[in-house]
Amino acid sequence: MADDIALEVPADLLLPPSGTGPGLVLFQEIFGVTAYVRSRAQDLADLGYVVLVPHVYGRLGDPVVEEGGAGLPRAMALLEKVDWQQAVADGVDAVAALREHPAVVGGVGVLGFCFGGGLAFNVAAVADPKPDALVSYYGSALPNLLGLASEVTAPSLHHFGDSDTYLPLDTVREIERAVTQDHEDVTVLVHPGADHAFDNPAPMFHHSEASAAAWQATTLWLADHLPVEG
């Protein structure tokens, strides 16, 4: 746990091999802070980032649910219990706390998957100061957050699948129009054949080609927009 970061929810702090670097707040999927979320946090730390993972379900007992199958309805039920505005406030606090951490050298970005992708977008809109970069994977709440698009001033990268049963392609294009309007540095990538949550390794979700392509694009984009010195 992030013992040296004062937050009202539990959080994990991962340091890069160098001990210092730019900061990234990583927001979970609806299943909680799973082994998958932790592995992506470690991947980012290995790239040179100081990674903070707030446990959004910390106010609900911090459950972790099976990814897919029988766990899906339980995760959806948990999602109904989340106070969205409180989750945003906790995310804003996480960004602010990470900015103040002595290991952070450079900017601080936000990155999220599914539920966390929308949460990262909302945090990017309301945090003060704003995050320096935003990466959103198939942000499930984005259709309801497009009124905030003008407030998201950070450069951003958005990943979607063209076969997403939760965010149909027409919806993806609507999101794309909103997030790119009057913004110069927004990249929207739509991955062929990929359904929702395609980066998650659980068999019912994973699309290996889309996952690999999106992760490569993410690492290159972060290297450009939130560079690790040296």
Side-chain angles (χ1 to χ4, degrees):
M1 291 298 175
D3 296 329
D4 54 347
I5 287 188
L7 294 175
E8 294 185 8
V9 293
D12 304 325
L13 182 70
L14 293 81
L15 297 179
S18 67
T20 62
L24 276 173
V25 178
L26 189 157
F27 294 104
Q28 67 188 57
E29 290 185 317
I30 64 172
F31 304 105
V33 181
T34 59
Y36 157 60
V37 172
R38 294 178 186 276
S39 71
R40 278 307 192 206
Q42 187 60 59
D43 290 339
L44 292 165
D46 291 343
L47 290 172
Y49 295 96
V50 179
V51 184
L52 182 64
V53 186
H55 292 216
V56 180
Y57 289 166
R59 296 178 184 275
L60 301 174
D62 204 15
V64 177
V65 181
E66 176 190 352
E67 295 162 289
L72 190 56
R74 185 182 172 208
M76 295 300 290
L78 274 170
L79 192 58
E80 293 294 321
K81 298 179 181 179
V82 171
D83 181 329
W84 179 266
Q85 292 305 322
Q86 183 62 68
V88 171
D90 289 337
V92 169
D93 288 346
V95 172
L98 192 57
R99 281 198 187 279
E100 297 300 318
H101 195 278
V104 173
V105 178
V108 170
V110 291
L111 185 153
F113 298 91
C114 188
F115 163 71
L119 187 57
F121 184 86
N122 202 148
V123 168
V126 301
D128 184 17
K130 302 289 181 72
D132 299 290
L134 161 68
V135 179
S136 173
Y137 274 70
Y138 30 80
S140 52
L142 284 177
N144 299 320
L145 299 173
L146 298 184
L148 296 173
S150 63
E151 301 300 318
V152 179
T153 56
S156 61
L157 170 64
H158 298 264
H159 292 287
F160 300 98
D162 72 356
S163 300
D164 193 321
T165 52
Y166 188 81
L167 295 172
L169 194 55
D170 286 349
T171 301
V172 169
R173 295 308 182 195
E174 180 185 355
I175 294 169
E176 181 177 21
R177 286 191 293 271
V179 300
T180 57
Q181 184 176 2
D182 300 323
H183 292 291
E184 293 183 358
D185 197 347
V186 178
T187 300
V188 176
L189 298 179
V190 180
H191 300 276
D195 201 339
H196 199 71
F198 63 74
D199 189 61
N200 188 309
M204 75 173 294
F205 299 125
H206 194 60
H207 190 291
S208 58
E209 293 85 356
S211 175
W215 192 251
Q216 181 182 38
T218 294
T219 58
L220 292 173
W221 189 90
L222 284 172
D224 188 40
H225 291 83
L226 200 66
V228 174
E229 297 300 327

